[in-house]
Amino acid sequence: MLKQTPLNAAHRELGAKMVDFGGWDMPVNYGSQIEEHHAVRQACGIFDVSHMLPVDVKGEGVRAFLKRLVANNVDKLKTPGKALYSCMLNEQGGVIDDLIIYFMDEQWFRIVVNAGTADKDLAWMQHCNAEWGANLSLTARRDLAMIAIQGPQAAAVLHGAMPGSEQTTEGLKPFNAVNVGEMFVARTGYTGEDGYEVMVPAKSASFFWKALLEAGAKPAGLGARDTLRLEAGMNLYGQDMDENASPLESGLAWTVDLKSERDFVGRKALETSEITRQLVGLVLLDKGVLRAHQKVHTRHGAGEITSGTFSPTLQQSIALARIPLGIAPGEEVEVEVRDKKLQAKVVKYPFVRNGKALI
Amino acid sequence: MNIPADLKYTKSHEWVRVEPDGSLTVGITHHAQDLLGDMVFVENPAPGRTVSAGEECAVVESVKAASDVYAPVAGEILAANAEVEGSPEKINQDPYGAWMFKMKPVNAAEVAGLLDAAGYKALVESEAH
């Protein structure tokens, strides 16, 4: 039996094509994935991301607990509502999950984890809570739905759907959140566009979803979410990194804080391991489509594509690939696609930000 | 679901039109393009190539996935449609107009063994359950 979000009926009403996404019955598109992609780059699209799980961690010493639990440093979070992207590592330095941590107050942080890893994450956090004698309460918030409102017109759509919210949400800086009535509104996203991710009580989710549509948003499915995040150069857990990959070989060194003296889980392993690979962007020069797991040949040896797709914005195929160190942007590599070897160029990513091509 | 009555079909979701001269025109069905979603790449077989029945001879790729297209019967490729290679989205817009390749069957009788519209409809419905 597939799990359903509070918006399941709303998706079916819109004629969504539903798929099994890691055990969840989710909309992959509502007609055309490419049109939904362009709607987000040019106007505003909304996504049901209620399959992701907010976990509230509460109690005395929660900050100290998180300083040990995750690779980024929650001491960067000083004002309530501020958000931080981080990896949660295992002792071997592999990535258990990537997540966003919100600072609510000194007794309460909120962590949003991926859907497919939610059970594993919770179990690990509970394990650490007990092992370290932290004595915190961890609460999975399945009573909250989450809707992402993304695109250059996201602010106008949000205000249209929540009259009176302009004052509180307009000045909201990227990676900051605020409570608006019963909603938790964060200026975050996974598309490379301006936008918000809003947590709303499950019982109010359909009403809010419809208000967003009436305010001019176009519903967008997980298909467009994937092409948008890849153009934006954002990692996808399970593809671009996992428990067997170091964040330092996954383009995530910027999220690992090795400057502070903290003894976080995985630190020793990261500091003693040899880095031999890097995550790079690829643009296909020949015709075709790059896909995950295709083999990449470079002058320093082989690598592999971790995520690949056709970029609707660039009208050519793009990918993230893990390849040996020493291959620089501008160099050409070969990718095995079926029985052919196709030429691709190594580039710096992101590929697209705020509606504009960067390569 | 759009399944024209005057065409033949394969279990792998190609449609086949028998032309007056006995040659075959091949494309992918409305159902196939609907499953795959927005098309972004088409690779057709080279004219002159001989293929056996069920042989992988073309590729269509949507944003979502790559899918092989199979020769419905044994024969020789006569022509490939460059228009769908240049504009793969035509397969979404008009799957029965946007043909992929034409071929000459080795044995015309083999074509009679393909599914008719009713048989293909039953196949699609059975796959949905």
Side-chain angles (χ1 to χ4, degrees), chain B residues 1-2 9-10 12-13 17 20 25 40 42-43 58 63-64 68 75 90 94-95 105 110 114 127:
Chain B
M1 202 189 328
N2 183 1
Y9 300 89
T10 66
S12 47
H13 306 286
R17 189 170 61 230
T25 303
V40 294
V42 172
E43 187 179 294
V63 183
K64 199 162 67 180
D68 289 314
K90 285 194 194 303
D94 180 16
E110 223 186 316
L114 297 173
E127 284 185 357

Coordinates of all heavy atoms in Angstrom, one line a residue, chain B residues 1-2 9-10 12-13 17 20 25 40 42-43 58 63-64 68 75 90 94-95 105 110 114 127:
Chain B
M1 N -8.0 6.6 -24.8 CA -6.8 6.1 -25.5 C -7.0 6.1 -27.0 O -8.1 5.6 -27.4 CB -6.5 4.7 -24.9 CG -5.1 4.3 -25.1 SD -4.8 2.6 -24.7 CE -6.0 2.3 -23.4
N2 N -6.0 6.5 -27.7 CA -6.2 6.6 -29.2 C -5.5 5.4 -29.8 O -4.3 5.3 -29.8 CB -5.5 7.9 -29.6 CG -5.7 8.2 -31.1 OD1 -6.3 7.3 -31.8 ND2 -5.1 9.3 -31.6
Y9 N -0.3 -3.5 -34.5 CA 0.4 -3.2 -33.3 C 1.3 -4.3 -32.9 O 1.1 -5.5 -33.1 CB -0.5 -2.8 -32.2 CG -1.4 -1.6 -32.6 CD1 -2.6 -1.8 -33.3 CD2 -1.0 -0.3 -32.4 CE1 -3.4 -0.7 -33.7 CE2 -1.8 0.8 -32.7 CZ -3.0 0.6 -33.4 OH -3.7 1.6 -33.8
T10 N 2.4 -3.9 -32.1 CA 3.3 -4.9 -31.5 C 3.0 -5.0 -30.0 O 2.5 -4.0 -29.4 CB 4.7 -4.6 -31.8 OG1 5.0 -3.4 -31.0 CG2 5.0 -4.4 -33.2
S12 N 5.3 -4.6 -28.0 CA 6.3 -3.6 -27.5 C 5.9 -2.2 -27.8 O 6.7 -1.3 -27.8 CB 7.7 -4.0 -27.9 OG 7.7 -4.2 -29.3
H13 N 4.6 -2.0 -28.2 CA 4.0 -0.7 -28.4 C 4.5 0.1 -29.6 O 4.5 1.3 -29.6 CB 4.2 0.2 -27.1 CG 3.7 -0.5 -25.9 ND1 2.3 -0.7 -25.6 CD2 4.3 -1.2 -24.9 CE1 2.2 -1.3 -24.5 NE2 3.4 -1.7 -24.0
R17 N 1.8 0.6 -40.1 CA 0.8 0.8 -41.2 C 1.3 0.1 -42.5 O 2.5 0.3 -42.9 CB 0.6 2.3 -41.5 CG -0.5 2.5 -42.4 CD -0.9 4.0 -42.5 NE 0.2 4.8 -43.0 CZ 0.6 5.9 -42.5 NH1 0.1 6.4 -41.4 NH2 1.7 6.5 -43.0
P20 N 0.2 0.7 -49.5 CA -0.3 0.0 -50.7 C 0.8 -0.8 -51.4 O 0.5 -1.9 -52.0 CB -0.8 1.1 -51.6 CG -1.1 2.3 -50.7 CD -0.1 2.1 -49.6
T25 N 5.2 1.3 -42.5 CA 5.6 2.5 -41.8 C 5.4 2.2 -40.3 O 4.4 1.7 -39.9 CB 4.7 3.7 -42.2 OG1 4.8 3.8 -43.6 CG2 5.1 5.0 -41.5
V40 N 12.6 13.9 -26.1 CA 13.7 14.9 -26.4 C 14.8 14.4 -27.3 O 15.6 15.1 -27.7 CB 14.3 15.4 -25.0 CG1 13.3 16.2 -24.2 CG2 14.8 14.2 -24.2
V42 N 15.5 11.2 -30.5 CA 15.2 10.1 -31.4 C 16.4 9.7 -32.2 O 17.1 10.5 -32.8 CB 14.0 10.4 -32.3 CG1 13.8 9.3 -33.3 CG2 12.7 10.8 -31.6
E43 N 16.7 8.4 -32.1 CA 17.7 7.8 -33.0 C 17.2 6.7 -33.9 O 16.7 5.7 -33.4 CB 18.9 7.3 -32.1 CG 20.1 6.8 -32.8 CD 21.2 6.3 -31.9 OE1 21.7 7.1 -31.1 OE2 21.4 5.1 -31.9
A58 N 15.8 1.2 -33.0 CA 15.8 2.7 -32.8 C 15.6 3.0 -31.3 O 15.4 2.0 -30.5 CB 14.6 3.3 -33.5
V63 N 12.4 13.0 -21.3 CA 13.1 13.6 -20.2 C 13.4 12.6 -19.2 O 14.4 12.5 -18.6 CB 12.3 14.8 -19.6 CG1 13.1 15.5 -18.5 CG2 11.9 15.8 -20.6
K64 N 12.4 11.7 -19.0 CA 12.4 10.7 -17.9 C 13.3 9.5 -18.2 O 14.0 9.1 -17.3 CB 11.0 10.2 -17.8 CG 10.6 9.6 -16.5 CD 9.1 9.6 -16.2 CE 8.4 8.7 -17.2 NZ 6.9 8.7 -16.9
D68 N 13.9 1.5 -26.0 CA 14.2 0.9 -27.3 C 13.0 0.8 -28.1 O 11.9 0.6 -27.6 CB 14.9 -0.5 -27.2 CG 16.3 -0.4 -26.6 OD1 17.1 0.4 -27.1 OD2 16.6 -1.1 -25.7
G75 N 13.1 -7.5 -41.9 CA 13.1 -6.8 -43.2 C 14.2 -5.9 -43.3 O 15.2 -6.0 -42.6
K90 N 7.2 16.0 -31.7 CA 6.2 15.7 -32.6 C 5.5 14.3 -32.3 O 4.4 14.0 -32.6 CB 6.7 15.6 -34.1 CG 6.9 17.1 -34.6 CD 7.1 17.0 -36.1 CE 7.6 18.3 -36.7 NZ 6.8 19.5 -36.4
D94 N 1.6 14.1 -32.1 CA 0.8 13.3 -33.1 C 1.5 12.0 -33.4 O 2.2 11.8 -34.4 CB 0.9 14.2 -34.5 CG 0.1 13.5 -35.6 OD1 -0.6 12.5 -35.3 OD2 0.3 13.9 -36.7
P95 N 1.3 11.1 -32.4 CA 2.1 9.8 -32.5 C 1.9 9.0 -33.7 O 2.8 8.3 -34.2 CB 1.6 9.1 -31.2 CG 0.4 9.7 -30.7 CD 0.5 11.2 -31.2
P105 N 9.2 -5.7 -45.5 CA 9.2 -6.9 -44.8 C 9.8 -8.1 -45.7 O 9.6 -8.1 -46.9 CB 7.7 -7.2 -44.4 CG 7.0 -6.4 -45.4 CD 7.8 -5.2 -45.9
E110 N 4.1 -12.3 -42.3 CA 4.4 -12.1 -40.9 C 3.6 -10.9 -40.3 O 3.4 -10.9 -39.1 CB 5.9 -11.8 -40.8 CG 6.7 -12.5 -39.7 CD 8.1 -12.0 -39.6 OE1 8.8 -11.9 -40.6 OE2 8.5 -11.7 -38.4
L114 N 0.7 -9.7 -36.4 CA 0.8 -8.6 -35.4 C -0.6 -8.4 -34.8 O -1.6 -8.9 -35.4 CB 1.3 -7.3 -36.1 CG 2.7 -7.4 -36.6 CD1 3.0 -6.1 -37.4 CD2 3.7 -7.6 -35.5
E127 N -2.1 -4.5 -19.1 CA -0.8 -4.0 -18.4 C -1.1 -3.0 -17.4 O -0.3 -2.7 -16.5 CB 0.1 -3.4 -19.5 CG 0.8 -4.4 -20.3 CD 1.8 -3.9 -21.3 OE1 1.9 -2.6 -21.4 OE2 2.5 -4.7 -22.0

